[in-house]
Amino acid sequence: SKCVRANYTQNSDGTIGVKNEQISMLFNTYASVTGKARIADPANPTKAELYVTFDNIPNFGGSTSSSTEKVEPNYILADTDYDNYAIVYSCNRIFFATKESLWILTRAQKPDQSIVDTAYAKARELLLPVDGLRETVQDGCSALP
């Protein structure tokens, strides 16, 4: 995939709307998925841990984005500078396996290298699995709406 972007909006019910978009590198076609996020622990709403579900994608966590009970987060905001980047981490257990995911999200489609370097350094400091990161191609994005 290339030209990947995520858009977050505040919903009237208190949840967060999530829309992930991308262009297929193979066919140069647009695709998107929408979903919802909610605070994983409603008793601790300032903790930046969310539970995200996507429409038409199986949810193996056993909860829904609209429920109000405490659940294991699958989207953890590990760090942000609030202006340029956010570091998001996820660790999910599926049967007997563990899957870690890490994203460095930037506000700019093509951020300055210094912003990327700062985010990588912070992720390493937090002992997150930085070695598995791959840069997302952000050229040839005209198929994005």
Side-chain angles (χ1 to χ4, degrees), residues 119-140:
Y120 266 72
K122 186 61 178 182
R124 282 190 184 93
E125 180 184 318
L126 296 170
L127 303 177
L128 295 173
V130 176
D131 293 338
L133 287 174
R134 295 183 317 252
E135 183 177 352
T136 301
V137 173
Q138 293 292 344
D139 295 312

Side-chain angles (χ1 to χ4, degrees), residues 18-125:
V18 180
K19 183 174 184 180
N20 292 345
E21 301 172 283
Q22 68 180 19
I23 303 296
S24 164
M25 290 185 79
L26 186 59
F27 300 108
N28 201 42
T29 54
Y30 170 80
S32 69
V33 62
T34 58
K36 281 186 176 182
R38 70 167 184 92
I39 300 295
D41 182 1
N44 193 356
T46 60
K47 194 169 186 182
E49 295 184 348
L50 302 174
Y51 186 77
V52 181
T53 57
F54 289 98
D55 303 340
N56 303 316
I57 296 177
N59 171 18
F60 297 106
S63 184
T64 66
S65 63
S66 61
S67 66
T68 57
E69 77 270 7
K70 180 179 178 179
V71 294
E72 278 297 312
N74 61 3
Y75 187 103
I76 299 167
L77 179 61
D79 188 66
T80 183
D81 72 350
Y82 296 98
D83 294 314
N84 300 294
Y85 75 87
I87 299 170
V88 176
Y89 174 72
S90 178
C91 182
N92 296 306
R93 188 173 308 243
I94 302 171
F95 301 108
F96 298 107
T98 300
K99 177 169 180 2
E100 288 184 297
S101 298
L102 179 66
W103 301 271
I104 294 179
L105 308 176
T106 60
R107 290 194 186 271
Q109 185 175 5
K110 294 183 177 184
D112 291 337
Q113 190 59 47
S114 63
I115 293 169
V116 175
D117 292 346
T118 298
Y120 266 72
K122 186 61 178 182
R124 282 190 184 93
E125 180 184 318

Side-chain angles (χ1 to χ4, degrees), residues 3-5 14 18 27 123:
C3 307
V4 175
R5 68 181 178 195
V18 180
F27 300 108

